[in-house]
Amino acid sequence: MKTSESTIGIVGAGIGGLVAAIALRRAGHDVVVFEQAKQFARVGADINLTPNAVRALDGLGVGEAARVTAARPSHRISRTYDTGEETSRLEMADSAEERYGAPQLTIHRADLLAALADMFPAERVALGKRAEKIAADEAGVTLSFTDGTSARVGVLLGADGIHSCVRTAMFGAESPRFTGIVAYRAVVPAERVAGVPNLGAFTKWWGPNPQSQIVTFPLNRGKDIFIFATTPQDTWHLESWTAPGSVDELREQYVAYHPDARALLDACDTVLKTALYERDPMPAWAEGRMALLGDAAHPMLPFMAQGAGMAIEDAVVLSRHLEGVSMSDAAEALKSYEKARIERASQVQLGSRGNNWLREGGNADWVYGYDAWAVPLGAPAVAAATATA
């Protein structure tokens, strides 16, 4: 694949990487994406796109395609695990669209990736490219891949997740930390649990400790219900999108939960299981002609449902900082992007770790009301409320 020192290279064809590629190409740059997988496959979790993320996608022209298979949760509800008491209820759907300019969407990650891939030229995505060496100089960045090939680009962006090779090349090796928490994921047909209330809502059951919870929300326009449950567990360390778990074990972990929550688990035929890892907030994301976005910069626990949203915001704000910028001025623009994003993403990262957001009401505006297309360039996004509000 042809590249040059006028090309922006992106490592990682996930959500953040593809959003960045689309936005940067729209801003007039030549962009190539390097992806280690040999083909796109339908793997991964179902994800929650809150209004801040959907509005950013709408600005790229991707939102309409995402809506085809997505569900629009009616509310965001918090319930106490044992009594079932509601401690928080926010109207979403049309109310969110009126307040924030976009609704909440819940969608399978593969459906969103397919919508994004349709917006970017397939010939500018290089599959089967696992970077093993990255060397930067004043004029650009050289990548060497495990297949023996190499590429030269003017700017390199790391959108390659929590185990980012770009991050390692920039700041040295550092292993993510196991949290002591595992997550179970399952999907059940809505008709199988028709007697459970609030199936059309995003519902979070808050457990007896911050690591224990069950989250449910509709998928496929409400035809299915996604279940995401977390619990402390030290014996399982495998981080995987596809590893099978035990349905019996899943049910045993939540025997103290309300009958409405247990009814959802009783409907599960199969479940996937993964260990959750994290890193601390970074003091910097950019160095010379390289920068990070998404989980490569700020991997976070899923308790605020903002992992995808922060990556999408990063990508849009980054593209705005690089619009009209020559490669010779890119390092300054990348530092300006870092300044604009690092405070907000770090606050969400720490808030996700604390897992107390919207447990008993509070104002969601500082998260949902963020507009990646309108925030001032180079200016940090200071939150109007804390992550525990």
Side-chain angles (χ1 to χ4, degrees):
M1 180 176 294
K2 183 179 179 181
T3 63
S4 71
E5 290 181 355
S6 62
T7 300
I8 296 178
I10 300 174
V11 178
I15 293 170
L18 286 178
V19 172
I22 296 165
L24 287 164
R25 185 168 181 266
R26 194 176 79 160
H29 289 288
D30 177 48
V31 183
V32 62
V33 181
F34 303 106
E35 167 56 43
Q36 66 180 9
K38 294 183 179 180
Q39 62 183 13
F40 288 117
R42 191 176 176 83
V43 297
D46 301 278
I47 59 175
N48 172 31
L49 298 174
T50 49
N52 49 307
V54 177
R55 186 167 52 252
L57 293 174
D58 285 343
L60 282 180
V62 182
E64 183 176 351
R67 284 166 169 79
V68 172
T69 60
R72 288 167 48 112
S74 61
H75 297 80
R76 188 198 187 282
I77 301 172
S78 291
R79 298 184 69 179
T80 303
Y81 79 101
D82 51 357
T83 66
E85 176 192 3
E86 280 195 20
T87 57
S88 173
R89 176 181 282 252
L90 297 179
E91 290 190 18
M92 300 303 291
D94 291 344
S95 295
E97 192 152 17
E98 292 171 6
R99 186 176 183 89
Y100 304 117
Q104 177 185 21
L105 299 178
T106 49
I107 186 173
H108 194 285
R109 182 176 183 271
D111 290 337
L112 177 57
L113 286 173
L116 292 170
D118 286 345
M119 297 283 290
F120 188 76
E123 64 272 15
R124 299 302 287 169
V125 179
L127 296 172
K129 296 296 181 181
R130 179 188 291 271
E132 63 176 353
K133 184 178 179 181
I134 298 171
D137 54 52
E138 292 184 357
V141 185
T142 300
L143 298 94
S144 300
F145 302 102
T146 54
D147 64 1
T149 64
S150 63
R152 177 77 172 170
V153 296
V155 165
L156 183 67
L157 305 175
D160 48 340
I162 190 171
H163 301 287
S164 170
C165 64
V166 181
R167 175 183 175 132
T168 298
M170 293 171 66
F171 302 112
E174 177 195 359
S175 297
R177 178 176 58 250
F178 176 51
T179 60
I181 306 170
V182 298
Y184 301 93
R185 305 192 313 274
V187 177
V188 299
E191 62 184 16
R192 192 180 296 178
V193 288
V196 177
N198 301 309
L199 290 179
F202 177 101
T203 301
K204 183 168 180 175
W205 295 85
W206 297 81
N209 59 66
Q211 293 78 39
S212 179
Q213 65 171 38
I214 299 174
V215 169
T216 67
F217 53 77
L219 283 176
N220 301 322
R221 293 185 170 269
K223 296 177 182 177
D224 297 311
I225 304 300
F226 178 64
I227 300 167
F228 180 83
T230 62
T231 190
Q233 190 175 109
D234 289 330
T235 56
W236 180 284
H237 291 207
L238 178 62
E239 183 184 18
S240 171
W241 290 109
T242 58
S246 163
V247 173
D248 289 338
E249 179 186 87
L250 168 69
R251 293 168 183 155
E252 289 170 4
Q253 294 293 333
Y254 302 94
V255 292
Y257 274 61
H258 189 274
D260 288 349
R262 295 202 314 271
L264 293 164
L265 304 187
D266 289 343
C268 295
D269 292 326
T270 60
V271 66
L272 302 178
K273 182 179 179 181
T274 187
L276 298 182
Y277 287 77
E278 67 170 347
R279 296 182 189 266
D280 293 325
M282 299 179 69
W285 299 354
E287 184 71 31
R289 293 192 179 210
M290 296 192 289
L292 305 173
L293 67 143
D295 283 353
H298 45 72
M300 59 187 66
L301 293 174
F303 298 137
M304 285 179 67
Q306 287 300 313
M310 291 299 107
I312 292 167
E313 288 182 5
D314 287 346
V316 169
V317 174
L318 175 57
S319 74
R320 293 177 58 218
H321 280 84
L322 287 173
E323 185 169 5
V325 173
S326 65
M327 294 297 101
S328 60
D329 295 326
E332 183 179 351
L334 294 176
K335 271 297 181 183
S336 185
Y337 148 74
E338 173 194 287
K339 178 181 178 182
R341 288 292 303 159
I342 195 167
E343 181 176 349
R344 173 175 169 82
S346 296
Q347 185 174 9
V348 173
Q349 191 178 6
L350 291 174
S352 296
R353 177 186 293 173
N355 190 24
N356 199 39
W357 189 62
L358 296 180
R359 180 170 186 162
E360 296 179 355
N363 191 328
D365 290 0
W366 74 272
V367 176
Y368 296 168
Y370 182 92
D371 187 349
W373 293 105
V375 293
L377 298 184
V382 179
T386 67
T388 57

